[in-house]
């Protein structure tokens, strides 16, 4: 039954069918061919898949990120990043990465990061002598930080799918996110010396740094409030999402006074559309996840790796290679929901904590967001930078090394992801 589902699913992808439809069609076909379950189970399991209180956090974080991205919040964060690191060789490249680290803590989405930061930074970088491809490559490479530094929408989806603590997952993503950012800045510095990228003429004076900090401090407090409320147990992730939306509305509507009612309506409608797509994927993928559980496929997979007797180091390496390949063809959301429950038992037998495995999946599948053929950030970045996909891919290749290094650290050094959660959970 599982083989039929995946055959139909991958065939649907090959002919250009939307992922959610391909997954659902695979489940319906398997039910019809095998006759083991009535087809009426499909809509029942789809509804059950999205009937989850913690899952409400996803549209709330999407709306909060959209509210932040449509205002001067992003501009204020870029100004602060420029004052902090603009004087280093490759100045605007570092500003781009630092802006993604700040904005990722507000949007929780790599695609939102690419669109918001890219629209501000790419034109400015081009004026200073960066090629559009290089500016776009730095933008999309740093956007993967947005799904690691909390609040992270993929971490919420993984936590809901496998029953792990969302607060612990948020904490687990902080160190990998900072590592990606810092290593990208090292890469930018090396590339800047080789390609002659410019830097600011002088370090920002203390007065300018203070003004930039004052302008951005209220925005920077958003992820601090959200994470603090969840970790201390004051709120659930869903309730924290409500706080995030209200705080973003307060900043833009009361403090900065930048919204019109028409703009707010447009943002709300767009956020609803952006929410409907991943939640429809969640619904159809839940059917397949149910079948996988009924067929006891994870247990069979554990037995398969035990029979191979190759040791946990190679088991985890094989899983990473598999997920890297999957991430190139399947979007991050369905990949997490579909393969998280399947591979988690194998990771657990190999000695990996579920929180560590969740961070590993997000780092791994984040690479798929900036690689062809289905990388969402890659296509958004190409549109913003106005370059061809393949030019952008070539320019991105040197920065992919950073993601691979952090992936290996997350996989084989548990403290990278588990140290912070151990302090609170």
């Amino acid at each position: 039954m599982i083989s039929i589902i995946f055959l139909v699913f991958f065939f649907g992808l090959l002919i250009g069918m939307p992922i959610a439809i391909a997954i659902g069609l695979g489940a319906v076909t398997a039910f019809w061919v095998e006759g083991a379950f009535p087809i009426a189970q499909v809509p029942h399991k789809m509804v059950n898949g999205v009937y989850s209180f913690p899952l409400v956090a996803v549209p709330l974080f999407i709306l909060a990120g959209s509210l932040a991205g449509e205002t001067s919040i992003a501009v204020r964060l870029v100004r602060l990043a420029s004052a902090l690191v603009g004087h280093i060789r490759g100045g605007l490249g570092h500003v781009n990465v630092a802006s993604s680290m700040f904005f990722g803590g507000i949007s929780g989405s790599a695609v939102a990061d690419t669109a918001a930061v890219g629209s501000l930074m790419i034109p400015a970088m081009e004026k200073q002598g960066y090629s559009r491809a290089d500016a776009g490559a730095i933008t999309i490479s740093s956007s993967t930080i947005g799904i690691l530094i909390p609040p992270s929408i993929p971490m919420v989806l993984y936590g809901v799918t496998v029953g792990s603590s969302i607060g612990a997952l948020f904490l687990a993503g902080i160190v990998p996110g900072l590592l990606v950012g810092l290593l990208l800045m090292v890469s930018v510095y090396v590339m800047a010396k080789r390609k002659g990228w410019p830097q600011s003429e002088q370090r920002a004076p203390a007065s300018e740094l203070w003004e930039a900090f004052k302008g951005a401090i209220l925005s920077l407090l958003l992820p601090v409030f959200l994470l603090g409320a969840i970790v201390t147990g004051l709120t659930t992730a869903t309730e924290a999402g409500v706080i995030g939306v209200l705080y973003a509305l307060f900043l833009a509507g009361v403090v900065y006074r930048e919204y019109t009612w028409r703009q707010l309506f447009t943002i709300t409608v767009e956020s609803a559309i952006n929410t409907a797509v991943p939640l429809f994927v969640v619904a159809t993928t839940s059917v397949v996840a149910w079948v996988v559980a009924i067929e006891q496929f994870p247990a069979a997979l554990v037995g398969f790796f035990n029979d191979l007797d190759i040791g946990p180091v190679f088991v985890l390496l094989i899983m990473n290679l598999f997920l890297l390949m999957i991430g190139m063809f399947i979007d991050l959301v369905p990949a997490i929901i579909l393969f998280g429950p399947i591979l988690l038992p194998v990771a657990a037998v190999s000695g990996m904590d579920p929180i560590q495995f969740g961070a590993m999946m997000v780092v791994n599948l984040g690479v798929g967001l900036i690689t062809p053929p289905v990388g969402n950030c890659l296509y958004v970045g190409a549109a913003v930078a106005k370059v061809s996909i393949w030019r952008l891919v070539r320019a991105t290749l040197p920065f992919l090394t950073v993601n691979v290094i952090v992936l290996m650290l997350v996989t084989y050094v548990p403290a990278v992801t588990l140290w912070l959660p151990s302090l609170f959970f």
Side-chain angles (χ1 to χ4, degrees), residues 3-13 17 22 25-27 29-30:
S3 60
I4 295 175
I5 291 175
F6 281 102
L7 283 173
V8 174
F9 170 54
F10 283 110
F11 176 75
L13 292 182
M17 190 178 292
L25 182 61
T29 304

Side-chain angles (χ1 to χ4, degrees), residues 274-327:
N274 292 335
T275 299
V277 174
L279 288 187
F280 186 43
V281 173
V282 170
T284 55
T285 307
S286 297
V287 182
V288 178
W290 176 71
V291 174
V292 166
I294 291 294
E295 297 286 321
Q296 296 185 334
F297 184 71
L301 196 61
V302 170
F304 171 75
F305 279 106
N306 284 337
D307 291 339
L308 287 180
D309 193 26
I310 57 177
V313 172
F314 289 103
V315 170
L316 296 177
L317 180 62
I318 291 171
M319 279 201 299
N320 270 313
L321 292 174
F322 172 75
L323 288 171
L324 284 170
M325 181 183 67
I326 287 297

Side-chain angles (χ1 to χ4, degrees), residues 59-324:
L60 291 171
F61 286 138
I62 289 176
L63 178 56
S66 298
L67 290 169
E70 293 294 328
T71 66
S72 66
I73 290 176
V75 176
R76 294 167 187 271
L77 295 175
V78 169
R79 188 182 302 135
L80 175 60
S82 180
L84 286 171
V85 297
H87 62 281
I88 305 173
R89 184 72 179 182
L92 285 187
H94 297 297
V95 172
N96 195 322
V97 176
S99 299
S100 292
M101 295 171 74
F102 293 147
F103 194 77
I106 295 174
S107 70
S109 166
V111 176
D113 189 331
T114 300
V117 176
S119 61
L120 293 171
M121 292 302 307
I122 292 176
M125 293 174 73
E126 185 183 3
K127 287 180 182 178
Q128 280 209 6
Y130 294 78
S131 70
R132 288 182 178 179
D134 286 333
I138 296 172
T139 301
I140 66 171
S141 299
S142 62
S143 70
T144 57
I145 302 170
I147 57 175
L148 293 171
I149 294 180
S152 164
I153 294 171
M155 291 292 194
V156 174
L157 291 171
Y158 172 82
V160 172
T161 301
V162 305
S164 292
S165 165
I166 294 175
L169 287 165
F170 279 0
L171 288 172
I174 293 177
V175 174
L178 293 176
L179 284 174
V180 171
L182 293 174
L183 290 177
L184 278 175
M185 293 178 78
V186 172
S187 301
V188 168
Y189 182 81
V190 173
M191 296 284 286
K193 296 194 73 172
R194 196 180 77 183
K195 294 192 173 186
W197 291 341
Q199 65 192 77
S200 297
E201 294 182 0
Q202 60 182 7
R203 185 189 299 266
S207 58
E208 181 182 336
L209 182 58
W210 174 242
E211 288 299 319
F213 178 75
K214 284 198 302 182
I217 182 60
L218 292 177
S219 303
L220 291 173
L221 286 176
L222 175 57
V224 176
F225 284 154
L226 296 183
L227 185 60
I230 296 171
V231 168
T232 57
L234 293 177
T235 68
T236 63
T238 302
E239 292 162 346
V242 175
I243 295 173
V245 171
L246 293 177
Y247 189 79
L249 281 171
F250 172 75
L251 279 186
V254 178
V255 179
Y256 303 147
R257 300 188 179 186
E258 295 173 338
Y259 280 144
T260 63
W261 287 108
R262 176 173 294 182
Q263 184 183 14
L264 186 58
F265 176 78
T266 302
I267 292 172
T268 304
V269 171
E270 289 178 352
S271 297
I273 295 171
N274 292 335
T275 299
V277 174
L279 288 187
F280 186 43
V281 173
V282 170
T284 55
T285 307
S286 297
V287 182
V288 178
W290 176 71
V291 174
V292 166
I294 291 294
E295 297 286 321
Q296 296 185 334
F297 184 71
L301 196 61
V302 170
F304 171 75
F305 279 106
N306 284 337
D307 291 339
L308 287 180
D309 193 26
I310 57 177
V313 172
F314 289 103
V315 170
L316 296 177
L317 180 62
I318 291 171
M319 279 201 299
N320 270 313
L321 292 174
F322 172 75
L323 288 171
L324 284 170

